[in-house]
Amino acid sequence: MQVRLCEIVSDVEHINIEEIVKVLDNQKPFKDYAYILHDKDTYNEADETKNPEHKAGTPKKAHYHIAIRLEYGTDTKYIANWLGIKENFINKVKGKWVDMLKYLTHENAPTKYQYTEDEVTSNYNWKVEKTKAINKSNSETRKIQIINDIVSGVIREFNYHEHITIDEYDRYKKSIDNAFKYRTDIIKGAKRNMECVYITGKSGTGKSTYAQMMCEDKGYSVFVSSGSNDVLDGYAGQDCIILDDLRPSCMGLSDLLKMLDNNTASTVKSRYKNKVLECKLIIVTSVLKIDEFFNGVFKEQKEPIVQLKRRCKLHLRFEQDHYYASLFDDKKGDYSEEYKYVNPVATMYPKIELTDEQKLNYINTLLVTGAELTGKVEAPAEEDKDPLTAKERSLQNKVDMLYRHNGILMNELDRKG
């Protein structure tokens, strides 16, 4: 039997340790060795089960453990001959060298008597090698833990810094990136269990605040969209997406319907790379009623509005003191009757009328020091008209339409590609 790592286990009476050490120090191919005398071991219940004469708790015979590393593979019969022992005393090490070093003191056998490192005799600095090997093993274990946590969704792109130190990120970056990509591949096309809510109401009625409250109540991590043409810019795997104050011009109908798809986790177009959503909840807030939102931009599309309403199963209509909830009815093809609730945001942030003194105190904290007040006049009434001229508005509508058509074309190219 050829070995490069081997262990000799023998009772004290059967070997001469001094003679063996002389051979190990002077005979090739012996390279490194470490040995210890185990003279405080006791039998346990398992030993007694195997041999009734070995009563649990009684001491074992004193014996040596000798760990040997050779320069190259060598037959055990030659090793036995050189050391002057029987060949059956030599055991091939099936595990790692460091595991054998740890066993000398029973470091990896906590139920057995724990010997000290000072009781080990060696021809090299085995403690340093053991420490390096343990650190390397711990590092590998930690890397595997990080990878598993990413794949299982515990660690996501938005919270990785809470779980991974900067040192770990630097050392394992390639593995971390691969793990995130692997998780994305798992999610693609998987069955999605997601709810969609459409919240409408005038500005200041608490739509955005209530959307945040819904997420916090469920313990969801939240991504609030920027409201730009790339609504998913910055999304990093959060549980909930709030499309806050979503404008119809922000995305094409097909993109929106794909994003709100309650069943299939398909990719959604984003500026730098398409995103795979793994959220549990999407909330759309808008000053436009859902019919106005759809008809204002999507009325020329082939998809009927029922596709949008079916996805946004829960509809919330906000007023100052109350909000009204209704569910989409498949048979009716529209939302059912509304249920009236107290608007909690109104009580959280009640409308307060400030006195002139309070107004001035606040104003003066922001103005340049020494600003001179010369009087008080009524604020001019705002003109309720489009800030754009009819010609400008027509041009803006054409630009919006071009953007939507471009989005449809890009989706079609992606599908064919």
Side-chain angles (χ1 to χ4, degrees), residues 307-337:
Q307 295 288 359
L308 179 60
K309 289 185 176 181
R310 180 180 290 118
R311 284 165 169 77
C312 299
K313 187 173 183 179
L314 175 61
H315 181 279
L316 301 180
R317 179 172 61 86
F318 265 69
E319 294 180 351
Q320 196 63 52
D321 298 319
H322 297 87
Y323 68 90
Y324 303 82
S326 58
L327 287 178
F328 180 80
D329 187 329
D330 282 312
K331 291 184 179 180
K332 185 179 178 182
D334 206 340
Y335 292 109
S336 61
E337 68 278 7

Side-chain angles (χ1 to χ4, degrees), residues 104 250 274 382:
L104 295 177
C250 288
N274 291 350
E382 293 186 7

Side-chain angles (χ1 to χ4, degrees), residues 320-380:
Q320 196 63 52
D321 298 319
H322 297 87
Y323 68 90
Y324 303 82
S326 58
L327 287 178
F328 180 80
D329 187 329
D330 282 312
K331 291 184 179 180
K332 185 179 178 182
D334 206 340
Y335 292 109
S336 61
E337 68 278 7
E338 293 183 322
Y339 298 91
K340 184 177 180 181
Y341 293 84
V342 173
N343 185 350
V345 181
T347 58
M348 291 169 56
Y349 305 104
K351 303 296 182 182
I352 300 175
E353 186 174 351
L354 300 178
T355 64
D356 283 349
E357 182 180 0
Q358 290 172 325
K359 293 175 185 176
L360 285 172
N361 284 340
Y362 181 77
I363 291 171
N364 289 332
T365 61
L366 301 176
L367 296 182
V368 176
T369 303
E372 184 178 353
L373 177 66
T374 60
K376 174 184 174 183
V377 295
E378 292 296 325

Side-chain angles (χ1 to χ4, degrees), residues 199-229:
I199 303 179
T200 184
K202 293 181 179 180
S203 297
T205 53
K207 302 184 300 296
S208 302
T209 302
Y210 191 77
Q212 293 269 10
M213 291 170 62
M214 290 177 71
C215 300
E216 292 172 5
D217 183 63
K218 293 171 174 55
Y220 290 166
S221 52
V222 185
F223 168 74
V224 181
S225 72
S226 62
S228 65
N229 287 337

